[in-house]
Amino acid sequence: MFEKIEKAATFIKDRYKGNPKIGLILGSGLGVLADEVEQPVKIPYEDIPDFPVSTVEGHAGQLVLGDLNGNEVIAMQGRFHFYEGYDFSEVTFPVRVMKALGVETLIVTNAAGGVNEQFQPGDLMIITDHINNMGGNPLIGANDSRLGARFPDMSEAYSKKLIGLAKETATKLNLTIREGVYFGNPGPMYETPAEVKMIRLLGGDSVGMSTVPEVTVARHSGIEVLGISCISNLAAGMLDQPLSHDEVIETTEKVRSEFLRFVKALVAA
Ligand code: 6GU
């Protein structure tokens, strides 16, 4: 895998001469942020050696490198999901490549269901921690010590320093922001009401189908992580209505401008 990572990183370095220290992973409906990158170099995933290719609606598939608010970033416009059939090493390959390119901080975003009864659709939630219920993880198998430790510490999966910075930033922007634990499920089905109740009992505040593998690899690599959930809907059984992917996309579109303002300010901070 080390050689594949290096090969993909070299391919990207040949096309983008900068040195981004901040990586962004943009979730469902949130990829528009990459359109705000100035003097962008856009590299479709299918062009990059050994990159998987994304398939789901609402997920473009390209890396966008350039300046966001005067700071260099490398953004994933569209991510890979376990439920699409990729294995965890494929889902997290781009994070390995970001590390090889010199990324030190990862801002990971997602659209998630609200489990906490205080939450409303459209809320933004700073992820303080996660629970891995995805049925596996990307670190299983032989460990390459060039990539990270055999038994990585996860006591600060989400950097306390970055959480503090995110809270300050939200206050400055006059944004109401939630905080909570992200519960990662494999998907692709949404949860049953009984499962949602279980997640709440176990300490989950939001639930989704991504993020956990990428954050696991980021921590393994020594990258600091900030996570933001956009609460696109309340989870099953909380309202008297079924869930739909269209609703997820619609809500994220509604809070898009707020989200954009927040993440741009986070990058600057
Ligand atoms: Cl309710 N569940 C999961 N697993 N992912 C979601 C969601 C719910 N809403 C948006 N994404």
Side-chain angles (χ1 to χ4, degrees), residues 59-258:
H59 298 253
Q62 57 183 3
L63 287 182
V64 181
L65 300 99
D67 280 12
L68 189 65
N69 257 9
N71 293 280
E72 270 185 83
V73 299
I74 170 168
M76 287 184 73
Q77 196 172 33
R79 63 144 64 84
F80 305 103
H81 295 91
F82 183 56
Y83 64 73
E84 293 176 87
Y86 303 109
D87 60 36
F88 288 115
S89 64
E90 292 174 308
V91 167
T92 56
F93 186 73
V95 180
R96 294 284 183 207
V97 174
M98 284 186 185
K99 173 68 184 183
L101 290 169
V103 165
E104 294 171 353
T105 305
L106 180 66
I107 303 179
V108 51
T109 67
N110 57 58
V115 171
N116 185 315
E117 285 171 312
Q118 308 293 315
F119 289 5
Q120 301 287 332
D123 282 352
L124 299 178
M125 184 192 93
I126 297 170
I127 304 176
T128 54
D129 207 344
H130 73 220
I131 296 173
N132 181 10
N133 190 52
M134 297 187 78
N137 74 73
L139 304 184
I140 303 266
N143 186 62
D144 184 338
S145 59
R146 290 171 293 185
L147 301 179
R150 172 73 289 188
F151 301 111
D153 175 41
M154 291 293 277
S155 50
E156 240 187 89
Y158 300 82
S159 155
K160 288 201 178 91
K161 194 180 119 215
L162 294 177
I163 291 167
L165 196 63
K167 289 207 271 190
E168 278 172 35
T169 304
T171 306
K172 277 185 198 149
L173 295 181
N174 217 4
L175 285 180
T176 356
I177 193 100
R178 310 288 196 167
E179 277 179 70
V181 172
Y182 177 85
F183 193 97
N185 273 339
M189 65 293 188
Y190 296 117
E191 296 69 30
T192 66
E195 288 164 344
V196 171
K197 193 170 165 191
M198 177 195 76
I199 292 164
R200 192 177 301 120
L201 282 167
L202 293 179
D205 296 291
S206 71
V207 60
M209 308 172 192
S210 67
T211 304
V212 168
E214 293 105 311
V215 172
T216 302
V217 161
R219 296 307 296 135
H220 185 242
S221 317
I223 297 175
E224 302 270 306
V225 178
L226 177 66
I228 312 287
S229 280
C230 172
I231 306 299
S232 52
N233 54 276
L234 296 183
M238 295 176 71
L239 298 174
D240 194 18
Q241 64 180 52
L243 309 187
S244 77
H245 184 60
D246 291 342
E247 183 195 0
V248 171
I249 296 294
E250 261 171 49
T251 307
T252 48
E253 272 168 13
K254 262 187 231 154
V255 293
R256 183 175 274 183
S257 64
E258 205 176 60

